[in-house]
Amino acid sequence: ERYDGSLEDVFAMQDKIINKIVAELTQTVECPDEAGQVKVATNNPDAHDALLRGWDRYRQATPEDYVKAKSFFEQATKLDPEYAQAYSALAAVDWNINFNGWAKSIGITPLKARRISRISLERAMTQPTALSYQISSERSAITHRKPEKALSEAEQAIELDTNDPAGHLAMAAALLKAGKPEEAIGSIRTAMRLDPIYPAFYLNRLAQAQYLMGQFQDAAETLEKSAKRNPDDDWTFVYLTATYGQLGDVEKAQQALAKANELRAKAGWGALTIELAEERERVGYDFRYYFKWFGDLKPMRTGLRKAGVPWGNEWKSLATFKDGKAEINGAVPIDDKTAKMLHERGVLFIDIWWQWPQKRIPNSRYLDIWAYEYNEVTLSEIARRDQELVITHSRVPAGHWLPNAVALAVTWGFKKIYYYEGGLHAWEKAGYPVDRSKVDSKVFVDYGKK
């Protein structure tokens, strides 16, 4: 039937159509009581229009489209400050910018992307939707490594709206992290059924489950479909590299690896290595989260090895520890006075810890190792390989983070590296000047309050 009306009456018209459909159904429909009915998402048609425009961009899953989607979602929240779905969509796009490591591609730091993502999700969870539960579940599974909590939040998403694919996607992610790929496939298929024109990343999640089940040919076919839909997603080609490695097709594996590295370089990341398929504490310098879905990482490492991907762990042999102090072959340790002398000479200082926005050695640069902004590409952009560098760490004690960072820089070919183990703590204690000017202050302060 045809229904005519003004844009201002669109929601009333929607209710009219729904009521007619329900009335025409031949089966019995149990209507919930008033308390259980779903509230109208928004009464502002312009806010709803902005959400739909943003969602169309969000589904394209590229850095450029995420920027445009975010703008639409922010517009929706301004038009209706109580629009829960718009806040959930904003949380989703911020999480995926953070999760995919696309902060640099859109002109912000990984630190800022991580904090914005968290703030957006906390706002969205004040009026939770299936989508906000999905993002919260994925954060629990991937960032916090709590599959039980992730499963619980996925269940809440499904319970809130059974017909929203978001809950089933969250369940698939949680099941993958819990090492249950066969069950994950069922959840992914359900999401695909509910969203027939699904984005390419649905296929990646399906391929991950197929890979873990040893269905490598199926995984390759699924990933090839994903690559055709979105040829700019480096995830797809990383997984293809390992999948073709498992299938013994080295030629296709190398083609996929070349494409993955091309996209990684474009995004500001170094070349793919097998070491990236290790737990974060053992690596600590890549933010892409490629392999955090997997309960068992051995099959992925095996596929990458068979594909001819380099190990990338040569730096480990450079660092040794004696009496609690690190010694790095190819770099020189310095004390407070030497650090001050080099600073006065204009040598570049690089701090790798997240406390830098609060206070720092004056004129020092910041590459966050925890957010994996510290890598060969980013370091090469701010320093020549024959340039003097002081790498330091504002945390006390620095643990293995500073030695690892220094050893990596040596491996990347930087020739004149000093490392200052005392860092900001020793610098300040020695009475040297400290820069306390605010950096990215609003986001940092808001995050700190949480």
Side-chain angles (χ1 to χ4, degrees), residues 303-320:
L304 294 175
R305 178 177 55 78
K306 290 180 177 180
V309 176
W311 280 100
N313 60 356
E314 298 82 3
W315 60 274
K316 290 184 177 180
S317 63
L318 298 178
T320 58

Side-chain angles (χ1 to χ4, degrees), residues 340-347 388 418:
K340 186 68 163 58
M341 180 268 292
L342 292 171
H343 186 269
E344 289 174 345
R345 208 171 73 199
V347 173
E388 286 185 303
Y418 306 97

Side-chain angles (χ1 to χ4, degrees), residues 378-442:
T378 54
L379 188 58
S380 300
E381 288 177 350
I382 64 175
R384 303 185 314 274
R385 281 175 167 74
D386 62 349
Q387 179 179 341
E388 286 185 303
L389 299 173
V390 175
I391 300 178
T392 186
H393 193 295
S394 59
R395 178 191 177 194
V396 178
H400 285 246
W401 292 98
L402 180 60
N404 288 355
V406 175
L408 283 164
V410 173
T411 303
W412 296 332
F414 290 86
K415 307 294 184 183
K416 301 176 181 178
I417 300 176
Y418 306 97
Y419 58 101
Y420 183 27
E421 284 193 274
L424 179 66
H425 177 74
W427 178 275
E428 192 171 18
K429 188 176 180 180
Y432 303 147
V434 173
D435 185 357
R436 298 177 184 272
S437 61
K438 292 184 178 180
V439 177
D440 206 12
S441 58
K442 183 179 185 302

Side-chain angles (χ1 to χ4, degrees), residues 85 129-135 137-138 150-175 184 186-188 190-191 194 202 205:
Q85 192 67 23
T129 65
L131 180 59
S132 58
Y133 273 123
Q134 177 200 347
I135 303 306
S137 176
E138 290 188 4
L151 287 167
S152 174
E153 290 171 325
E155 288 171 355
Q156 288 176 283
I158 295 172
E159 183 179 345
L160 196 62
D161 189 347
T162 306
N163 293 320
D164 191 326
H168 302 281
L169 281 174
M171 182 60 72
L175 289 168
S187 294
I188 298 166
T190 299
L194 293 170
Y202 281 45
R205 202 158 296 183

Side-chain angles (χ1 to χ4, degrees), residues 47-349:
H48 187 59
D49 183 66
L51 176 72
L52 294 178
R53 290 175 183 272
W55 195 251
D56 182 59
R57 289 292 187 178
Y58 172 76
R59 290 165 64 85
Q60 305 306 311
T62 70
E64 296 77 17
D65 284 302
Y66 277 164
V67 171
K68 293 175 182 176
K70 184 177 172 69
S71 177
F72 280 119
F73 296 152
E74 288 174 340
Q75 180 184 348
T77 61
K78 289 178 181 177
L79 290 167
D80 183 354
E82 301 302 319
Y83 196 0
Q85 192 67 23
Y87 285 108
S88 294
L90 192 57
V93 74
D94 285 334
W95 159 250
N96 280 285
I97 288 171
N98 170 46
F99 179 80
N100 286 298
W102 287 343
K104 185 177 179 181
S105 299
I106 68 171
I108 62 175
T109 66
L111 177 69
K112 184 172 183 177
R114 189 167 71 248
R115 289 175 180 154
I116 290 175
S117 170
R118 179 170 176 174
I119 292 168
S120 294
L121 180 58
E122 288 175 344
R123 176 62 182 84
M125 290 300 288
T126 61
Q127 292 179 278
T129 65
L131 180 59
S132 58
Y133 273 123
Q134 177 200 347
I135 303 306
S136 183
S137 176
E138 290 188 4
R139 288 186 81 252
S140 296
I142 308 308
T143 304
H144 301 301
R145 300 179 194 154
K146 296 179 179 178
E148 298 81 8
K149 188 172 186 292
L151 287 167
S152 174
E153 290 171 325
E155 288 171 355
Q156 288 176 283
I158 295 172
E159 183 179 345
L160 196 62
D161 189 347
T162 306
N163 293 320
D164 191 326
H168 302 281
L169 281 174
M171 182 60 72
L175 289 168
L176 281 170
K177 190 63 179 178
K180 300 178 180 179
E182 188 171 0
E183 294 179 43
I185 286 180
S187 294
I188 298 166
R189 296 290 189 193
T190 299
M192 289 177 167
R193 178 176 58 80
L194 293 170
D195 186 4
I197 312 176
Y198 51 81
F201 67 81
Y202 281 45
L203 292 168
N204 282 1
R205 202 158 296 183
L206 174 60
Q208 292 160 8
Q210 291 169 330
Y211 187 100
L212 285 175
M213 293 178 67
Q215 299 172 358
F216 301 123
Q217 188 59 51
D218 290 341
E221 293 173 3
T222 301
L223 290 166
E224 290 290 0
K225 291 178 183 177
S226 179
K228 287 181 180 179
R229 289 198 188 189
N230 186 0
D232 296 323
D233 188 350
D234 50 332
W235 287 64
T236 306
F237 295 97
V238 170
Y239 292 134
L240 266 175
T241 300
T243 303
Y244 280 128
Q246 292 281 17
L247 291 170
D249 193 334
V250 179
E251 182 178 354
K252 286 187 177 179
Q254 286 293 308
Q255 291 173 356
L257 176 61
K259 182 64 176 178
N261 282 335
E262 175 189 329
L263 293 170
R264 283 176 60 85
K266 182 180 178 181
W269 301 96
L272 179 68
T273 65
I274 293 176
E275 190 183 32
L276 299 185
E278 299 282 350
E279 287 299 324
R280 188 165 75 187
E281 290 88 356
R282 298 175 64 186
V283 184
Y285 67 96
D286 195 293
F287 190 48
R288 306 317 296 275
Y289 284 119
Y290 289 124
F291 313 112
K292 298 304 179 183
W293 300 108
F294 293 87
D296 182 5
L297 294 173
K298 291 180 182 178
M300 180 56 63
R301 290 195 291 268
T302 300
L304 294 175
R305 178 177 55 78
K306 290 180 177 180
V309 176
W311 280 100
N313 60 356
E314 298 82 3
W315 60 274
K316 290 184 177 180
S317 63
L318 298 178
T320 58
F321 292 85
K322 293 182 179 179
D323 300 324
K325 288 191 172 292
E327 293 184 4
I328 297 98
N329 187 16
V332 180
I334 57 174
D335 57 18
D336 301 342
K337 290 183 179 179
T338 305
K340 186 68 163 58
M341 180 268 292
L342 292 171
H343 186 269
E344 289 174 345
R345 208 171 73 199
V347 173
L348 178 61
F349 277 58

